[in-house]
Amino acid sequence: MKLQLGQNQLVLELSTSPFAWFHGETERMSLTSLSLLFVQFSLFARQPAV
């Protein structure tokens, strides 16, 4: 399932691990991911242009 929130995108999907956390960034986008009880929430956020 994908939700578009302005320039951000929230993705919900099933995960293979019960608990996990990840955060990473590039010049154009940041990704924050949390897995909780085999459900993964991923938030993709576009970085503002400089």
Side-chain angles (χ1 to χ4, degrees):
M1 181 175 142
K2 293 182 183 181
L3 296 172
Q4 190 76 31
L5 308 168
Q7 291 189 349
N8 301 334
Q9 186 177 57
L10 179 65
V11 179
L12 277 71
E13 53 195 0
L14 294 178
S15 174
T16 55
S17 65
F19 301 103
W21 166 258
F22 174 80
H23 177 77
E25 272 186 26
T26 65
E27 288 183 20
R28 296 185 179 184
M29 185 171 287
S30 69
L31 165 64
T32 303
S33 178
L34 171 67
S35 293
L36 188 60
L37 299 177
F38 300 102
V39 177
Q40 181 175 337
F41 303 89
S42 301
L43 178 64
F44 297 89
R46 290 181 189 232
Q47 302 290 13
V50 176

mmCIF file of all heavy atoms in Angstrom:
data_model
loop_
_atom_site.group_PDB
_atom_site.id
_atom_site.type_symbol
_atom_site.label_atom_id
_atom_site.label_comp_id
_atom_site.label_asym_id
_atom_site.label_seq_id
_atom_site.Cartn_x
_atom_site.Cartn_y
_atom_site.Cartn_z
ATOM 1 N N MET A 1 0.840 -1.175 0.000
ATOM 2 C CA MET A 1 0.000 0.000 0.000
ATOM 3 C C MET A 1 0.885 1.238 0.000
ATOM 4 O O MET A 1 1.842 1.317 0.765
ATOM 5 C CB MET A 1 -0.879 -0.009 1.256
ATOM 6 C CG MET A 1 -1.808 1.160 1.355
ATOM 7 S SD MET A 1 -2.871 0.940 2.801
ATOM 8 C CE MET A 1 -2.934 2.609 3.363
ATOM 9 N N LYS A 2 0.587 2.216 -0.867
ATOM 10 C CA LYS A 2 1.370 3.445 -0.965
ATOM 11 C C LYS A 2 0.472 4.644 -0.750
ATOM 12 O O LYS A 2 -0.627 4.704 -1.289
ATOM 13 C CB LYS A 2 2.036 3.567 -2.332
ATOM 14 C CG LYS A 2 3.104 2.548 -2.582
ATOM 15 C CD LYS A 2 3.754 2.770 -3.926
ATOM 16 C CE LYS A 2 4.787 1.692 -4.205
ATOM 17 N NZ LYS A 2 5.443 1.889 -5.492
ATOM 18 N N LEU A 3 0.944 5.600 0.048
ATOM 19 C CA LEU A 3 0.242 6.860 0.258
ATOM 20 C C LEU A 3 1.163 7.992 -0.142
ATOM 21 O O LEU A 3 2.317 8.037 0.289
ATOM 22 C CB LEU A 3 -0.138 7.029 1.737
ATOM 23 C CG LEU A 3 -1.110 6.023 2.327
ATOM 24 C CD1 LEU A 3 -1.223 6.231 3.828
ATOM 25 C CD2 LEU A 3 -2.479 6.172 1.687
ATOM 26 N N GLN A 4 0.670 8.881 -0.972
ATOM 27 C CA GLN A 4 1.456 10.042 -1.400
ATOM 28 C C GLN A 4 1.042 11.227 -0.530
ATOM 29 O O GLN A 4 -0.118 11.595 -0.482
ATOM 30 C CB GLN A 4 1.185 10.340 -2.870
ATOM 31 C CG GLN A 4 2.114 11.359 -3.466
ATOM 32 C CD GLN A 4 3.502 10.790 -3.768
ATOM 33 O OE1 GLN A 4 3.638 9.617 -4.065
ATOM 34 N NE2 GLN A 4 4.499 11.627 -3.684
ATOM 35 N N LEU A 5 2.009 11.811 0.187
ATOM 36 C CA LEU A 5 1.749 12.942 1.067
ATOM 37 C C LEU A 5 2.586 14.124 0.594
ATOM 38 O O LEU A 5 3.705 14.324 1.062
ATOM 39 C CB LEU A 5 2.120 12.583 2.518
ATOM 40 C CG LEU A 5 1.526 11.294 3.080
ATOM 41 C CD1 LEU A 5 2.193 10.914 4.382
ATOM 42 C CD2 LEU A 5 0.037 11.459 3.273
ATOM 43 N N GLY A 6 2.081 14.875 -0.353
ATOM 44 C CA GLY A 6 2.861 15.969 -0.927
ATOM 45 C C GLY A 6 4.051 15.400 -1.672
ATOM 46 O O GLY A 6 3.894 14.610 -2.588
ATOM 47 N N GLN A 7 5.262 15.775 -1.257
ATOM 48 C CA GLN A 7 6.469 15.234 -1.881
ATOM 49 C C GLN A 7 6.967 13.990 -1.148
ATOM 50 O O GLN A 7 7.968 13.410 -1.517
ATOM 51 C CB GLN A 7 7.574 16.290 -1.892
ATOM 52 C CG GLN A 7 7.293 17.437 -2.833
ATOM 53 C CD GLN A 7 8.492 18.344 -2.989
ATOM 54 O OE1 GLN A 7 9.469 18.248 -2.248
ATOM 55 N NE2 GLN A 7 8.428 19.230 -3.947
ATOM 56 N N ASN A 8 6.264 13.559 -0.114
ATOM 57 C CA ASN A 8 6.647 12.376 0.643
ATOM 58 C C ASN A 8 5.783 11.189 0.245
ATOM 59 O O ASN A 8 4.650 11.349 -0.195
ATOM 60 C CB ASN A 8 6.504 12.623 2.147
ATOM 61 C CG ASN A 8 7.360 13.774 2.617
ATOM 62 O OD1 ASN A 8 8.374 14.082 2.019
ATOM 63 N ND2 ASN A 8 6.940 14.415 3.677
ATOM 64 N N GLN A 9 6.324 10.005 0.409
ATOM 65 C CA GLN A 9 5.586 8.789 0.080
ATOM 66 C C GLN A 9 5.720 7.815 1.241
ATOM 67 O O GLN A 9 6.828 7.539 1.711
ATOM 68 C CB GLN A 9 6.140 8.171 -1.198
ATOM 69 C CG GLN A 9 5.339 6.989 -1.684
ATOM 70 C CD GLN A 9 5.877 6.455 -3.000
ATOM 71 O OE1 GLN A 9 7.040 6.104 -3.094
ATOM 72 N NE2 GLN A 9 5.032 6.402 -4.005
ATOM 73 N N LEU A 10 4.590 7.296 1.726
ATOM 74 C CA LEU A 10 4.567 6.315 2.803
ATOM 75 C C LEU A 10 4.180 4.968 2.210
ATOM 76 O O LEU A 10 3.169 4.863 1.513
ATOM 77 C CB LEU A 10 3.568 6.727 3.888
ATOM 78 C CG LEU A 10 3.409 5.793 5.068
ATOM 79 C CD1 LEU A 10 4.699 5.712 5.871
ATOM 80 C CD2 LEU A 10 2.260 6.220 5.949
ATOM 81 N N VAL A 11 4.999 3.943 2.465
ATOM 82 C CA VAL A 11 4.757 2.607 1.922
ATOM 83 C C VAL A 11 4.601 1.630 3.087
ATOM 84 O O VAL A 11 5.439 1.600 3.993
ATOM 85 C CB VAL A 11 5.929 2.160 1.013
ATOM 86 C CG1 VAL A 11 5.676 0.763 0.478
ATOM 87 C CG2 VAL A 11 6.127 3.142 -0.128
ATOM 88 N N LEU A 12 3.529 0.841 3.078
ATOM 89 C CA LEU A 12 3.305 -0.201 4.074
ATOM 90 C C LEU A 12 3.387 -1.549 3.373
ATOM 91 O O LEU A 12 2.745 -1.749 2.341
ATOM 92 C CB LEU A 12 1.918 -0.065 4.709
ATOM 93 C CG LEU A 12 1.769 0.937 5.849
ATOM 94 C CD1 LEU A 12 1.856 2.340 5.316
ATOM 95 C CD2 LEU A 12 0.472 0.720 6.565
ATOM 96 N N GLU A 13 4.176 -2.466 3.926
ATOM 97 C CA GLU A 13 4.296 -3.801 3.345
ATOM 98 C C GLU A 13 4.688 -4.793 4.421
ATOM 99 O O GLU A 13 5.066 -4.414 5.528
ATOM 100 C CB GLU A 13 5.312 -3.801 2.205
ATOM 101 C CG GLU A 13 6.659 -3.246 2.573
ATOM 102 C CD GLU A 13 7.530 -2.922 1.365
ATOM 103 O OE1 GLU A 13 7.079 -3.133 0.225
ATOM 104 O OE2 GLU A 13 8.639 -2.463 1.575
ATOM 105 N N LEU A 14 4.606 -6.073 4.110
ATOM 106 C CA LEU A 14 4.985 -7.115 5.054
ATOM 107 C C LEU A 14 6.502 -7.248 5.102
ATOM 108 O O LEU A 14 7.191 -7.069 4.104
ATOM 109 C CB LEU A 14 4.360 -8.449 4.656
ATOM 110 C CG LEU A 14 2.836 -8.507 4.732
ATOM 111 C CD1 LEU A 14 2.356 -9.872 4.267
ATOM 112 C CD2 LEU A 14 2.336 -8.192 6.119
ATOM 113 N N SER A 15 7.021 -7.563 6.272
ATOM 114 C CA SER A 15 8.459 -7.684 6.480
ATOM 115 C C SER A 15 8.793 -9.095 6.952
ATOM 116 O O SER A 15 7.949 -9.786 7.522
ATOM 117 C CB SER A 15 8.904 -6.662 7.536
ATOM 118 O OG SER A 15 10.252 -6.848 7.867
ATOM 119 N N THR A 16 10.036 -9.506 6.736
ATOM 120 C CA THR A 16 10.468 -10.833 7.192
ATOM 121 C C THR A 16 10.970 -10.802 8.628
ATOM 122 O O THR A 16 11.121 -11.845 9.249
ATOM 123 C CB THR A 16 11.583 -11.380 6.285
ATOM 124 O OG1 THR A 16 12.645 -10.426 6.250
ATOM 125 C CG2 THR A 16 11.063 -11.621 4.884
ATOM 126 N N SER A 17 11.236 -9.600 9.167
ATOM 127 C CA SER A 17 11.722 -9.513 10.547
ATOM 128 C C SER A 17 10.691 -8.801 11.421
ATOM 129 O O SER A 17 10.012 -7.875 10.958
ATOM 130 C CB SER A 17 13.061 -8.778 10.609
ATOM 131 O OG SER A 17 12.907 -7.438 10.220
ATOM 132 N N PRO A 18 10.559 -9.204 12.683
ATOM 133 C CA PRO A 18 9.546 -8.600 13.543
ATOM 134 C C PRO A 18 9.889 -7.167 13.951
ATOM 135 O O PRO A 18 9.004 -6.348 14.107
ATOM 136 C CB PRO A 18 9.504 -9.526 14.757
ATOM 137 C CG PRO A 18 10.808 -10.246 14.752
ATOM 138 C CD PRO A 18 11.242 -10.328 13.328
ATOM 139 N N PHE A 19 11.195 -6.870 14.133
ATOM 140 C CA PHE A 19 11.605 -5.539 14.554
ATOM 141 C C PHE A 19 12.841 -5.098 13.775
ATOM 142 O O PHE A 19 13.820 -5.833 13.723
ATOM 143 C CB PHE A 19 11.932 -5.507 16.054
ATOM 144 C CG PHE A 19 10.775 -5.917 16.921
ATOM 145 C CD1 PHE A 19 10.750 -7.177 17.489
ATOM 146 C CD2 PHE A 19 9.708 -5.059 17.143
ATOM 147 C CE1 PHE A 19 9.685 -7.573 18.274
ATOM 148 C CE2 PHE A 19 8.643 -5.450 17.923
ATOM 149 C CZ PHE A 19 8.627 -6.711 18.501
ATOM 150 N N ALA A 20 12.787 -3.914 13.176
ATOM 151 C CA ALA A 20 13.944 -3.374 12.461
ATOM 152 C C ALA A 20 13.783 -1.866 12.345
ATOM 153 O O ALA A 20 12.674 -1.346 12.364
ATOM 154 C CB ALA A 20 14.067 -4.009 11.078
ATOM 155 N N TRP A 21 14.921 -1.167 12.210
ATOM 156 C CA TRP A 21 14.919 0.287 12.058
ATOM 157 C C TRP A 21 16.024 0.667 11.091
ATOM 158 O O TRP A 21 17.132 0.134 11.152
ATOM 159 C CB TRP A 21 15.164 0.950 13.413
ATOM 160 C CG TRP A 21 15.517 2.409 13.314
ATOM 161 C CD1 TRP A 21 16.764 2.942 13.422
ATOM 162 C CD2 TRP A 21 14.642 3.499 13.069
ATOM 163 N NE1 TRP A 21 16.713 4.303 13.262
ATOM 164 C CE2 TRP A 21 15.414 4.668 13.046
ATOM 165 C CE3 TRP A 21 13.262 3.590 12.862
ATOM 166 C CZ2 TRP A 21 14.857 5.920 12.824
ATOM 167 C CZ3 TRP A 21 12.717 4.837 12.650
ATOM 168 C CH2 TRP A 21 13.506 5.977 12.639
ATOM 169 N N PHE A 22 15.737 1.568 10.170
ATOM 170 C CA PHE A 22 16.756 2.029 9.217
ATOM 171 C C PHE A 22 16.479 3.482 8.868
ATOM 172 O O PHE A 22 15.328 3.889 8.706
ATOM 173 C CB PHE A 22 16.724 1.184 7.939
ATOM 174 C CG PHE A 22 17.652 1.705 6.878
ATOM 175 C CD1 PHE A 22 19.015 1.437 6.930
ATOM 176 C CD2 PHE A 22 17.174 2.492 5.833
ATOM 177 C CE1 PHE A 22 19.874 1.936 5.954
ATOM 178 C CE2 PHE A 22 18.022 2.997 4.868
ATOM 179 C CZ PHE A 22 19.377 2.727 4.932
ATOM 180 N N HIS A 23 17.548 4.269 8.747
ATOM 181 C CA HIS A 23 17.431 5.639 8.250
ATOM 182 C C HIS A 23 18.636 5.923 7.368
ATOM 183 O O HIS A 23 19.771 5.659 7.765
ATOM 184 C CB HIS A 23 17.370 6.652 9.391
ATOM 185 C CG HIS A 23 17.332 8.070 8.890
ATOM 186 N ND1 HIS A 23 16.184 8.624 8.366
ATOM 187 C CD2 HIS A 23 18.288 9.018 8.802
ATOM 188 C CE1 HIS A 23 16.449 9.871 7.997
ATOM 189 N NE2 HIS A 23 17.720 10.130 8.239
ATOM 190 N N GLY A 24 18.400 6.430 6.171
ATOM 191 C CA GLY A 24 19.480 6.770 5.253
ATOM 192 C C GLY A 24 19.112 7.986 4.429
ATOM 193 O O GLY A 24 17.942 8.301 4.258
ATOM 194 N N GLU A 25 20.139 8.665 3.917
ATOM 195 C CA GLU A 25 19.918 9.886 3.143
ATOM 196 C C GLU A 25 20.834 9.938 1.944
ATOM 197 O O GLU A 25 21.962 9.463 1.999
ATOM 198 C CB GLU A 25 20.226 11.122 3.998
ATOM 199 C CG GLU A 25 19.083 11.619 4.793
ATOM 200 C CD GLU A 25 19.409 12.928 5.508
ATOM 201 O OE1 GLU A 25 20.282 13.665 5.034
ATOM 202 O OE2 GLU A 25 18.782 13.188 6.542
ATOM 203 N N THR A 26 20.325 10.510 0.858
ATOM 204 C CA THR A 26 21.148 10.873 -0.290
ATOM 205 C C THR A 26 20.968 12.378 -0.493
ATOM 206 O O THR A 26 20.281 13.039 0.282
ATOM 207 C CB THR A 26 20.722 10.108 -1.557
ATOM 208 O OG1 THR A 26 19.404 10.524 -1.918
ATOM 209 C CG2 THR A 26 20.752 8.600 -1.349
ATOM 210 N N GLU A 27 21.544 12.907 -1.548
ATOM 211 C CA GLU A 27 21.390 14.335 -1.820
ATOM 212 C C GLU A 27 19.948 14.693 -2.140
ATOM 213 O O GLU A 27 19.502 15.800 -1.877
ATOM 214 C CB GLU A 27 22.278 14.751 -2.996
ATOM 215 C CG GLU A 27 23.749 14.777 -2.661
ATOM 216 C CD GLU A 27 24.578 15.257 -3.840
ATOM 217 O OE1 GLU A 27 24.019 15.899 -4.750
ATOM 218 O OE2 GLU A 27 25.782 14.981 -3.839
ATOM 219 N N ARG A 28 19.212 13.773 -2.733
ATOM 220 C CA ARG A 28 17.860 14.078 -3.202
ATOM 221 C C ARG A 28 16.750 13.497 -2.342
ATOM 222 O O ARG A 28 15.610 13.923 -2.432
ATOM 223 C CB ARG A 28 17.683 13.557 -4.631
ATOM 224 C CG ARG A 28 18.581 14.236 -5.616
ATOM 225 C CD ARG A 28 18.277 13.758 -7.000
ATOM 226 N NE ARG A 28 19.118 14.417 -7.972
ATOM 227 C CZ ARG A 28 19.014 14.253 -9.261
ATOM 228 N NH1 ARG A 28 18.112 13.421 -9.740
ATOM 229 N NH2 ARG A 28 19.806 14.887 -10.088
ATOM 230 N N MET A 29 17.029 12.474 -1.528
ATOM 231 C CA MET A 29 15.953 11.781 -0.830
ATOM 232 C C MET A 29 16.439 11.198 0.490
ATOM 233 O O MET A 29 17.600 10.835 0.619
ATOM 234 C CB MET A 29 15.422 10.658 -1.737
ATOM 235 C CG MET A 29 14.223 9.933 -1.205
ATOM 236 S SD MET A 29 13.518 8.809 -2.435
ATOM 237 C CE MET A 29 12.757 9.980 -3.526
ATOM 238 N N SER A 30 15.539 11.115 1.451
ATOM 239 C CA SER A 30 15.847 10.402 2.691
ATOM 240 C C SER A 30 14.837 9.270 2.862
ATOM 241 O O SER A 30 13.691 9.366 2.427
ATOM 242 C CB SER A 30 15.825 11.339 3.895
ATOM 243 O OG SER A 30 14.518 11.767 4.164
ATOM 244 N N LEU A 31 15.279 8.195 3.488
ATOM 245 C CA LEU A 31 14.435 7.031 3.716
ATOM 246 C C LEU A 31 14.487 6.684 5.194
ATOM 247 O O LEU A 31 15.562 6.568 5.779
ATOM 248 C CB LEU A 31 14.930 5.831 2.893
ATOM 249 C CG LEU A 31 14.363 4.465 3.287
ATOM 250 C CD1 LEU A 31 12.863 4.400 3.049
ATOM 251 C CD2 LEU A 31 15.063 3.344 2.538
ATOM 252 N N THR A 32 13.322 6.553 5.798
ATOM 253 C CA THR A 32 13.205 6.070 7.166
ATOM 254 C C THR A 32 12.301 4.846 7.120
ATOM 255 O O THR A 32 11.210 4.904 6.557
ATOM 256 C CB THR A 32 12.610 7.148 8.085
ATOM 257 O OG1 THR A 32 13.422 8.303 8.015
ATOM 258 C CG2 THR A 32 12.554 6.668 9.517
ATOM 259 N N SER A 33 12.768 3.747 7.695
ATOM 260 C CA SER A 33 12.007 2.501 7.643
ATOM 261 C C SER A 33 11.924 1.890 9.038
ATOM 262 O O SER A 33 12.920 1.816 9.750
ATOM 263 C CB SER A 33 12.688 1.525 6.680
ATOM 264 O OG SER A 33 11.991 0.305 6.640
ATOM 265 N N LEU A 34 10.731 1.455 9.414
ATOM 266 C CA LEU A 34 10.502 0.813 10.703
ATOM 267 C C LEU A 34 9.681 -0.448 10.481
ATOM 268 O O LEU A 34 8.625 -0.395 9.837
ATOM 269 C CB LEU A 34 9.748 1.775 11.640
ATOM 270 C CG LEU A 34 9.242 1.189 12.946
ATOM 271 C CD1 LEU A 34 10.416 0.813 13.855
ATOM 272 C CD2 LEU A 34 8.329 2.177 13.646
ATOM 273 N N SER A 35 10.181 -1.578 10.978
ATOM 274 C CA SER A 35 9.415 -2.825 10.938
ATOM 275 C C SER A 35 8.941 -3.134 12.349
ATOM 276 O O SER A 35 9.732 -3.155 13.289
ATOM 277 C CB SER A 35 10.273 -3.988 10.433
ATOM 278 O OG SER A 35 10.606 -3.792 9.084
ATOM 279 N N LEU A 36 7.653 -3.363 12.484
ATOM 280 C CA LEU A 36 7.062 -3.636 13.790
ATOM 281 C C LEU A 36 6.052 -4.762 13.632
ATOM 282 O O LEU A 36 5.063 -4.617 12.895
ATOM 283 C CB LEU A 36 6.391 -2.364 14.319
ATOM 284 C CG LEU A 36 5.888 -2.383 15.741
ATOM 285 C CD1 LEU A 36 7.026 -2.636 16.719
ATOM 286 C CD2 LEU A 36 5.207 -1.069 16.073
ATOM 287 N N LEU A 37 6.314 -5.883 14.278
ATOM 288 C CA LEU A 37 5.436 -7.054 14.207
ATOM 289 C C LEU A 37 5.150 -7.463 12.767
ATOM 290 O O LEU A 37 4.006 -7.654 12.363
ATOM 291 C CB LEU A 37 4.127 -6.792 14.968
ATOM 292 C CG LEU A 37 4.299 -6.510 16.464
ATOM 293 C CD1 LEU A 37 2.956 -6.203 17.090
ATOM 294 C CD2 LEU A 37 4.962 -7.679 17.175
ATOM 295 N N PHE A 38 6.226 -7.559 11.967
ATOM 296 C CA PHE A 38 6.196 -8.035 10.582
ATOM 297 C C PHE A 38 5.488 -7.088 9.612
ATOM 298 O O PHE A 38 5.181 -7.463 8.497
ATOM 299 C CB PHE A 38 5.592 -9.442 10.486
ATOM 300 C CG PHE A 38 6.352 -10.464 11.279
ATOM 301 C CD1 PHE A 38 5.889 -10.897 12.508
ATOM 302 C CD2 PHE A 38 7.553 -10.967 10.814
ATOM 303 C CE1 PHE A 38 6.610 -11.833 13.251
ATOM 304 C CE2 PHE A 38 8.268 -11.897 11.545
ATOM 305 C CZ PHE A 38 7.801 -12.328 12.762
ATOM 306 N N VAL A 39 5.231 -5.852 10.026
ATOM 307 C CA VAL A 39 4.696 -4.831 9.119
ATOM 308 C C VAL A 39 5.755 -3.743 8.997
ATOM 309 O O VAL A 39 6.237 -3.220 9.991
ATOM 310 C CB VAL A 39 3.376 -4.234 9.643
ATOM 311 C CG1 VAL A 39 2.889 -3.132 8.713
ATOM 312 C CG2 VAL A 39 2.323 -5.322 9.773
ATOM 313 N N GLN A 40 6.133 -3.434 7.764
ATOM 314 C CA GLN A 40 7.177 -2.439 7.513
ATOM 315 C C GLN A 40 6.560 -1.137 7.042
ATOM 316 O O GLN A 40 5.765 -1.113 6.108
ATOM 317 C CB GLN A 40 8.154 -2.959 6.467
ATOM 318 C CG GLN A 40 9.270 -1.984 6.172
ATOM 319 C CD GLN A 40 10.295 -2.560 5.237
ATOM 320 O OE1 GLN A 40 10.438 -3.774 5.120
ATOM 321 N NE2 GLN A 40 11.019 -1.700 4.557
ATOM 322 N N PHE A 41 6.931 -0.047 7.709
ATOM 323 C CA PHE A 41 6.517 1.301 7.341
ATOM 324 C C PHE A 41 7.740 2.009 6.776
ATOM 325 O O PHE A 41 8.747 2.132 7.470
ATOM 326 C CB PHE A 41 6.023 2.072 8.577
ATOM 327 C CG PHE A 41 4.895 1.399 9.303
ATOM 328 C CD1 PHE A 41 5.158 0.478 10.303
ATOM 329 C CD2 PHE A 41 3.576 1.688 8.988
ATOM 330 C CE1 PHE A 41 4.122 -0.148 10.984
ATOM 331 C CE2 PHE A 41 2.541 1.072 9.661
ATOM 332 C CZ PHE A 41 2.808 0.154 10.659
ATOM 333 N N SER A 42 7.673 2.468 5.548
ATOM 334 C CA SER A 42 8.795 3.169 4.917
ATOM 335 C C SER A 42 8.328 4.553 4.486
ATOM 336 O O SER A 42 7.300 4.686 3.829
ATOM 337 C CB SER A 42 9.295 2.408 3.691
ATOM 338 O OG SER A 42 9.715 1.109 4.058
ATOM 339 N N LEU A 43 9.092 5.577 4.869
ATOM 340 C CA LEU A 43 8.777 6.945 4.487
ATOM 341 C C LEU A 43 9.899 7.482 3.610
ATOM 342 O O LEU A 43 11.047 7.572 4.037
ATOM 343 C CB LEU A 43 8.612 7.830 5.729
ATOM 344 C CG LEU A 43 8.322 9.306 5.452
ATOM 345 C CD1 LEU A 43 6.976 9.461 4.739
ATOM 346 C CD2 LEU A 43 8.347 10.108 6.739
ATOM 347 N N PHE A 44 9.566 7.782 2.354
ATOM 348 C CA PHE A 44 10.503 8.380 1.412
ATOM 349 C C PHE A 44 10.216 9.880 1.374
ATOM 350 O O PHE A 44 9.094 10.279 1.065
ATOM 351 C CB PHE A 44 10.302 7.798 0.001
ATOM 352 C CG PHE A 44 10.565 6.319 -0.088
ATOM 353 C CD1 PHE A 44 9.554 5.399 0.137
ATOM 354 C CD2 PHE A 44 11.828 5.848 -0.401
ATOM 355 C CE1 PHE A 44 9.797 4.042 0.055
ATOM 356 C CE2 PHE A 44 12.082 4.491 -0.497
ATOM 357 C CZ PHE A 44 11.065 3.586 -0.265
ATOM 358 N N ALA A 45 11.198 10.698 1.695
ATOM 359 C CA ALA A 45 11.020 12.157 1.704
ATOM 360 C C ALA A 45 12.023 12.791 0.752
ATOM 361 O O ALA A 45 13.220 12.535 0.848
ATOM 362 C CB ALA A 45 11.206 12.697 3.112
ATOM 363 N N ARG A 46 11.517 13.617 -0.164
ATOM 364 C CA ARG A 46 12.408 14.325 -1.094
ATOM 365 C C ARG A 46 13.053 15.497 -0.375
ATOM 366 O O ARG A 46 12.394 16.215 0.360
ATOM 367 C CB ARG A 46 11.638 14.836 -2.301
ATOM 368 C CG ARG A 46 11.178 13.731 -3.191
ATOM 369 C CD ARG A 46 10.440 14.301 -4.385
ATOM 370 N NE ARG A 46 9.827 13.234 -5.130
ATOM 371 C CZ ARG A 46 9.998 13.074 -6.422
ATOM 372 N NH1 ARG A 46 10.719 13.902 -7.120
ATOM 373 N NH2 ARG A 46 9.431 12.054 -7.032
ATOM 374 N N GLN A 47 14.353 15.687 -0.610
ATOM 375 C CA GLN A 47 15.073 16.810 -0.022
ATOM 376 C C GLN A 47 14.744 18.065 -0.825
ATOM 377 O O GLN A 47 14.615 18.012 -2.045
ATOM 378 C CB GLN A 47 16.587 16.547 -0.063
ATOM 379 C CG GLN A 47 17.014 15.284 0.648
ATOM 380 C CD GLN A 47 16.874 15.365 2.157
ATOM 381 O OE1 GLN A 47 16.254 16.255 2.709
ATOM 382 N NE2 GLN A 47 17.450 14.409 2.836
ATOM 383 N N PRO A 48 14.608 19.203 -0.163
ATOM 384 C CA PRO A 48 14.352 20.437 -0.904
ATOM 385 C C PRO A 48 15.534 20.813 -1.781
ATOM 386 O O PRO A 48 16.688 20.593 -1.408
ATOM 387 C CB PRO A 48 14.135 21.483 0.206
ATOM 388 C CG PRO A 48 14.720 20.881 1.431
ATOM 389 C CD PRO A 48 14.669 19.396 1.268
ATOM 390 N N ALA A 49 15.241 21.336 -2.958
ATOM 391 C CA ALA A 49 16.316 21.735 -3.896
ATOM 392 C C ALA A 49 17.058 22.938 -3.334
ATOM 393 O O ALA A 49 16.475 23.838 -2.735
ATOM 394 C CB ALA A 49 15.708 22.073 -5.239
ATOM 395 N N VAL A 50 18.371 22.926 -3.538
ATOM 396 C CA VAL A 50 19.199 24.025 -3.014
ATOM 397 C C VAL A 50 19.351 25.097 -4.073
ATOM 398 O O VAL A 50 19.508 24.836 -5.221
ATOM 399 C CB VAL A 50 20.582 23.494 -2.581
ATOM 400 C CG1 VAL A 50 21.462 24.640 -2.127
ATOM 401 C CG2 VAL A 50 20.415 22.469 -1.488
#
